């Protein structure tokens, strides 16, 4: 298996309390679910894998590019949906999608994504004026712009209505045929329904 996402010996501690301890992963194309209870380090791991947080020790590669030594090339192959979005509040949904498209060298507006998540009426609203569910849909839609080799998603289904959740499930099924999708959740039922390869939190050397 060719690894789309790889990390080696990741260690992170907060106030001398270990959160990640010697975590190593090698994941190829497919749908992988990081499963575990809230507060056990899933979000920390995804932040490190996405480059939004630095590990105390260890390395990450995205599509063969070292995230620390070659960050621009690595991030071109990466899409990340955080649990809480660090988006400039004055940005509109259209601005967010244009920024993600620019980073991945792709068209900014994908009509099927806008229609599927019902985002048309919200594209030109400020991000801080949107509901939690609509913000989540914007982030998810932005992640599917372009052909990122690796998609990292932290509890992405939170706040989605039933129709959007069904559309999102279909997107995951389609994209995981050609990309490496790593989705964290405490909802094992969702992962099983999607046919994900489940990675248990406690198996990764998390403290």
């Amino acid at each position: 298996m060719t690894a789309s996402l790889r990390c080696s010996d990741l260690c992170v501690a907060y106030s001398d309390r270990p959160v990640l301890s010697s975590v190593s992963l090698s994941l190829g194309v497919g749908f992988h679910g990081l499963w575990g209870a809230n507060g056990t380090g899933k979000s920390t791991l995804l932040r490190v894998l996405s480059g939004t947080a630095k590990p105390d020790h260890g390395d990450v590669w995205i599509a063969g590019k070292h995230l620390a030594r070659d960050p621009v090339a690595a991030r071109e192959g990466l899409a990340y949906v955080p649990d809480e979005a660090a988006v400039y509040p004055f940005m509109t949904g259209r601005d967010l999608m244009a920024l993600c498209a620019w980073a991945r060298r792709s068209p900014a507006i994908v009509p099927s994504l806008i229609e599927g998540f019902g985002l048309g009426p919200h594209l030109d609203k400020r991000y801080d004026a949107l509901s939690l569910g609509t913000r989540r849909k914007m982030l998810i839609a932005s992640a599917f712009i372009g052909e990122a080799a690796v998609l990292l998603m932290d509890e992405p289904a939170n706040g989605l209505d039933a129709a959007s959740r069904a559309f999102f499930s279909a997107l995951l099924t389609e994209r995981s045929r050609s990309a490496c999708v790593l989705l964290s959740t405490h909802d094992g039922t969702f992962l099983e329904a999607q046919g994900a390869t489940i990675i248990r939190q406690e198996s990764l050397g998390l403290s």
Side-chain angles (χ1 to χ4, degrees):
M1 176 187 71
T2 301
S4 302
L5 171 65
R6 185 163 66 93
C7 67
S8 176
D9 201 23
L10 292 181
C11 299
V12 174
Y14 296 133
S15 300
D16 296 324
R17 182 179 70 85
V19 179
L20 306 181
S21 180
S22 299
V23 173
S24 296
L25 278 172
S26 183
L27 303 177
V29 170
F31 185 19
H32 312 275
L34 182 61
W35 179 75
N38 289 334
T40 54
K42 301 188 306 297
S43 294
T44 297
L45 178 56
L46 290 186
R47 283 195 293 269
V48 171
L49 292 175
S50 69
T52 58
K54 292 184 179 180
D56 298 319
H57 184 270
D59 299 277
V60 177
W61 293 263
I62 305 294
K65 306 295 184 182
H66 193 279
L67 187 55
R69 293 194 292 264
D70 198 359
V72 174
R75 286 191 172 95
E76 283 183 0
L78 173 67
Y80 173 47
V81 177
D83 186 30
E84 295 183 1
V87 175
Y88 295 113
F90 55 81
M91 290 182 70
T92 65
R94 193 182 302 275
D95 292 336
L96 173 63
M97 293 189 179
L99 178 62
C100 292
W102 171 80
R104 299 185 204 120
R105 304 182 184 184
S106 175
I109 298 297
V110 181
S112 60
L113 292 173
I114 303 304
E115 181 180 353
F117 283 117
L119 293 174
H122 308 291
L123 283 176
D124 295 308
K125 295 179 182 177
R126 283 172 54 112
Y127 192 80
D128 59 359
L130 301 175
S131 68
L132 176 62
T134 302
R135 292 182 190 185
R136 178 65 53 179
K137 294 173 192 177
M138 288 286 185
L139 288 173
I140 294 172
S142 296
F144 283 95
I145 291 174
E147 298 294 335
V150 175
L151 280 74
L152 303 175
M153 301 187 169
D154 191 1
E155 299 280 2
N158 286 353
L160 293 186
D161 56 82
S164 295
R165 192 179 177 99
F167 181 66
F168 177 46
S169 295
L171 287 175
L172 287 173
T173 298
E174 176 63 27
R175 185 56 64 90
S176 61
R177 296 190 179 110
S178 59
C180 173
V181 178
L182 178 61
L183 182 153
S184 79
T185 182
H186 63 280
D187 186 355
T189 302
F190 176 76
L191 295 179
E192 290 176 358
Q194 288 292 129
T197 299
I198 297 177
I199 303 168
R200 294 182 177 273
Q201 189 82 0
E202 62 270 19
S203 73
L204 294 178
L206 304 181
S207 301

